Amino acid sequence: MTAPRTVPHAAFRTVLLTPVDGPPPSAGVPGTRFEARIHTPAGVRSWLLTTVRPVGSPAPRSFLDEHLALDLTAAGDARWRRQADVLHLGRTAPVRARDRLSAVLRAFPGCAVATADGTDGTRFVLARTGGRLALHSSPSAPGLVLGSLAHAWLATGGALTELVALAELLAPAAPAPRPGARRGA
C-alpha cells in the first residue's frame, strides 16, 4: 500500500486582512510574501498574503482566508486542479482573455477566481460570481497572487472593482532577517 499523495504545500495560500490602525501587518508574521493596501468605499484596508498560517488567532477585526491556488501552466499538480479555488491561466491575448477565463471557470467547477496575464501587461481576473477586473498597470506580484487576494476579498463580501488600487500598491514584503544574522554582513 502506498501513501496517499497530498496537495503540494506551495499551492496553499493564506491571506490575512488586518485593519490599518493596528501594528504593521507583517510584524511577527512568518512567511510573508506580499503586502498591499486596498482603497475601498469603507476606507483603506491592509492586506497581507502569507504562505504560513499565523500562529494563534488573528487580531481582532481581522479576516483569514485559506484556499488552494494553482498555475495551469505549471507542470504537475494536475490532479488538484478540479479542487482549486484559484487558477492562473498564464499569458493570453487581451482580446481573448475573458473567453479563455470563462472556459477555465466552466472546466473547473471548484474554481472561484481565474486570472491571466495579458500579452500587453494587463492583468485579468474573472470570478465565478461574474465579477471581472482588468488592471492595466502590472503589479509586481504574479497573477496567482492577485487571484489569491481577489479570492479573499470576495470571501469578505467585497467587489472586484474595489481592487483597482492594487495595480500601484502591491509589492513584495521585505524578507525577515534570519536569526543570528548580522546587519550588513
Side-chain angles (χ1 to χ4, degrees):
M1 185 165 136
T2 60
R5 297 182 71 146
T6 58
V7 177
H9 177 71
F12 284 110
R13 297 286 189 268
T14 300
V15 180
L16 179 66
L17 168 65
T18 59
V20 294
D21 57 354
S26 60
V29 179
T32 299
R33 295 292 185 173
F34 293 91
E35 294 181 35
R37 291 187 187 268
I38 298 174
H39 296 272
T40 70
V44 179
R45 298 189 180 186
S46 178
W47 283 94
L48 170 66
L49 178 68
T50 67
T51 56
V52 178
R53 184 185 174 101
V55 178
S57 55
R61 299 185 302 146
S62 293
F63 178 80
L64 185 69
D65 177 46
E66 292 183 314
H67 56 269
L68 182 62
L70 295 171
D71 188 337
L72 292 172
T73 64
D77 303 336
R79 66 180 289 173
W80 299 108
R81 291 176 179 170
R82 293 191 70 74
Q83 289 80 28
D85 302 292
V86 177
L87 289 169
H88 181 64
L89 179 61
R91 291 178 62 81
T92 188
V95 295
R96 297 188 54 213
R98 185 170 182 195
D99 291 338
R100 293 195 65 206
L101 290 174
S102 293
V104 168
L105 293 176
R106 282 192 308 274
F108 299 100
C111 180
V113 175
T115 64
D117 299 323
T119 53
D120 64 351
T122 303
R123 298 290 178 103
F124 299 99
V125 181
L126 185 62
R128 184 165 298 282
T129 60
R132 60 186 167 161
L133 179 66
L135 298 176
H136 298 288
S137 176
S138 297
S140 59
L144 200 53
V145 170
L146 180 60
S148 286
L149 289 168
H151 184 276
W153 185 247
L154 291 170
T156 67
L160 283 181
T161 54
E162 295 171 325
L163 301 180
V164 174
L166 283 176
E168 301 300 328
L169 299 170
L170 192 61
R178 294 187 324 252
R182 291 183 311 166
R183 190 171 271 231

